[in-house]
Amino acid sequence: MGILVGGLMGRYSARSIYLFCVVASAAGRNGYFVMAAWIATDVSNSASALAILLALGSAAELLTSNVGGALVDRFDRRLVCIGCDLSRLGLMLSTGLAFLFGDPLIVLYVSWTIFAIIDRTYSTALQAMIPSIVRPENLSSFNSVSYVAMQTGNLIAAIVMGSILAAIGRDLTPFLPGAFFSLSMLGLLAIFWQQPLSFSQRGSKRDSVRRLDLLPTTFTVHPLKAIAVIYALIYSMGMLVSVLGSAYVIHELEGSALQFGYLEAGWAFGSIAGCAIFLFGSALSRRGTVLLHLALAGIILSGFWVLQSFPVALVQMMFLGLSYNMARVLIDVRVQSTIPIGMMGRVRSQIHTICVAIGLLAYAIIGVIGDAFRPSEIFGLFGALMVAVALFFYFRMDRGEPLESRLV
């Protein structure tokens, strides 16, 4: 009886600490992004500089994502996360010091590229823990709670970092994300020193990693190919907003760093609402499909081209965040319920590789033509593409089974 109670307490404690780590890590990640996006755009006075910055990170992820996934499947995922947090903390401290002596844009290029590799491995490892600490019937609700926690961290970071950038400038701002990464590491250390949990026990003997699994183009799970491509477009939409959001505020809305922080906060608030919808029951979640969110996000994104004011942009960001994260929850539940736990890291990395490949293409286009078109025009064109792809899938995919069962 004591063993049973202890096991249940350990499981619930692990879930709570896990969510704390999600909040802390998301706050650090988004705080660093808000800082990097604003500084790159402000220093260069160009949207192309930010596109180059994020393209470097995406290229690094594309080449190393599957290697990180293989590491996640071979080692204790808690230790992988702790190592990543320690590396991210060291990187933030180094970035802050480098701002004092070097060109801030060059510093950001190097720092962001390294950060992308570390952070992707961390995210894959953290996400791969979920099926081992949550019962299959609770995957949807826990993924929703996890995304609420993540967006809560994003919301905190967006508000705080916007204020700090406006108050103290760039030199000391990397230390704030570093503090959040320290909190995440402390939480993971607390989990690690507890009684061994199910994810470490079940993950101790995993399938061997083939050399092919390390290649960035590998994607062998056929039932997930279509949904991965659709998710890649939704993911690229989020990347596009990240690249051009600061330029949109500066050049078209003529706003400040504080207003950019508010837009990021609007995205996070909408994301929390989107994830919270799943907590009202599985019947509600089944009504949404990834295809529907692809079309909805495309329509909203196109709205930036037509309606240009800060209040309207804030509402649009809220709805984009809502649709984006509802799609992510649906896809995560599908993957976690389909893939064996020993392959979770590699499959998650393979899906992310497809997302990054499409996003990298978008970055390259923006890097070349970013200064020739207004950000709202690029939003409108990509939104139209998303709607067109949604219609293509709707009319051309096999109608032998219900559309929702194939895309959710």
Side-chain angles (χ1 to χ4, degrees):
M1 182 67 178
I3 295 176
L4 177 60
V5 173
L8 289 174
M9 290 183 65
R11 179 180 289 266
Y12 284 117
S13 178
R15 291 176 185 173
S16 299
I17 299 176
Y18 178 94
L19 294 175
F20 170 80
C21 295
V22 170
V23 173
S25 179
R29 179 187 303 111
N30 199 49
Y32 181 45
F33 164 73
V34 171
M35 179 202 76
W38 184 261
I39 292 175
T41 305
D42 187 49
V43 169
S44 65
N45 197 31
S46 169
S48 297
L50 182 55
I52 294 171
L53 174 75
L54 298 184
L56 288 172
S58 295
E61 288 186 35
L62 185 68
L63 296 174
T64 63
S65 182
N66 280 15
V67 176
L71 291 175
V72 168
D73 286 341
R74 293 298 296 169
F75 298 101
D76 189 316
R77 288 158 184 171
R78 297 168 297 177
L79 286 176
V80 173
C81 287
I82 291 170
C84 289
D85 269 332
L86 188 60
S87 300
R88 293 191 297 187
L89 173 59
L91 181 63
M92 291 301 102
L93 296 177
S94 301
T95 301
L97 293 175
F99 276 152
L100 299 174
F101 304 103
D103 184 324
L105 200 56
I106 300 300
V107 170
L108 283 177
Y109 284 162
V110 175
S111 177
W112 186 267
T113 301
I114 299 172
F115 178 81
I117 298 172
I118 301 170
D119 188 67
R120 172 43 43 191
T121 303
Y122 175 93
S123 298
T124 301
L126 200 66
Q127 192 30 251
M129 291 183 188
I130 292 180
S132 304
I133 61 175
V134 179
R135 297 181 184 277
E137 62 270 20
N138 296 329
L139 281 175
S140 179
S141 61
F142 189 80
N143 274 280
S144 301
V145 173
S146 176
Y147 274 109
V148 169
M150 180 181 67
Q151 295 305 328
T152 299
N154 289 345
L155 182 61
I156 294 171
I159 295 173
V160 173
M161 187 58 70
S163 302
I164 288 179
L165 279 169
I168 66 174
R170 64 171 177 258
D171 292 343
L172 299 178
T173 47
F175 295 100
L176 181 63
F180 285 120
F181 295 140
S182 297
L183 292 175
S184 172
M185 183 173 63
L186 291 175
L188 287 161
L189 285 170
I191 295 179
F192 183 76
W193 291 114
Q194 284 183 348
Q195 191 73 13
L197 300 173
S198 58
F199 56 74
S200 61
Q201 293 169 347
R202 292 171 60 183
S204 59
K205 291 185 178 180
R206 300 183 175 96
D207 296 335
S208 59
V209 179
R210 301 173 302 165
R211 185 175 301 176
L212 186 63
D213 290 328
L214 304 180
L215 298 178
T217 54
T218 302
F219 195 82
T220 57
V221 186
H222 180 72
L224 298 178
K225 285 185 177 180
I227 201 171
V229 171
I230 295 171
Y231 180 39
L233 287 172
I234 296 175
Y235 179 87
S236 298
M237 177 272 295
M239 296 171 74
L240 195 68
V241 172
S242 298
V243 172
L244 296 176
S246 55
Y248 180 72
V249 172
I250 292 174
H251 300 303
E252 297 195 49
L253 299 182
E254 297 182 350
S256 64
L258 191 59
Q259 287 182 313
F260 176 55
Y262 285 150
L263 285 187
E264 287 292 313
W267 173 285
F269 180 81
S271 300
I272 292 172
C275 298
I277 288 176
F278 291 94
L279 303 179
F280 288 97
S282 59
L284 180 61
S285 67
R286 283 196 296 268
R287 296 174 188 169
T289 68
V290 177
L291 190 60
L292 173 64
H293 290 295
L294 178 67
L296 177 62
I299 293 171
I300 297 172
L301 193 64
S302 299
F304 284 97
W305 198 356
V306 181
L307 304 170
Q308 295 186 12
S309 72
F310 179 75
V312 173
L314 188 59
V315 173
Q316 289 171 312
M317 289 290 281
M318 289 180 183
F319 278 101
L320 282 177
L322 183 146
S323 180
Y324 177 82
N325 279 276
M326 285 186 71
R328 290 182 69 179
V329 171
L330 290 168
I331 291 173
D332 283 345
V333 171
R334 173 72 182 274
V335 172
Q336 292 164 7
S337 60
T338 304
I339 303 302
I341 190 172
M343 295 178 58
M344 193 67 64
R346 282 164 287 174
V347 171
R348 288 288 308 178
S349 296
Q350 289 165 356
I351 292 177
H352 185 73
T353 296
I354 295 176
C355 294
V356 172
I358 294 180
L360 190 58
L361 177 61
Y363 285 158
I365 294 174
I366 295 172
V368 173
I369 68 171
D371 294 330
F373 293 87
R374 294 181 301 168
S376 60
E377 293 173 338
I378 299 176
F379 286 154
L381 292 173
F382 193 82
L385 174 64
M386 294 173 71
V387 173
V389 172
L391 291 174
F392 172 82
F393 273 103
Y394 181 79
F395 289 110
R396 295 295 299 272
M397 289 186 74
D398 180 21
R399 310 295 289 224
E401 55 179 323
L403 182 65
E404 186 165 326
S405 68
R406 288 180 280 114
L407 295 181
V408 176

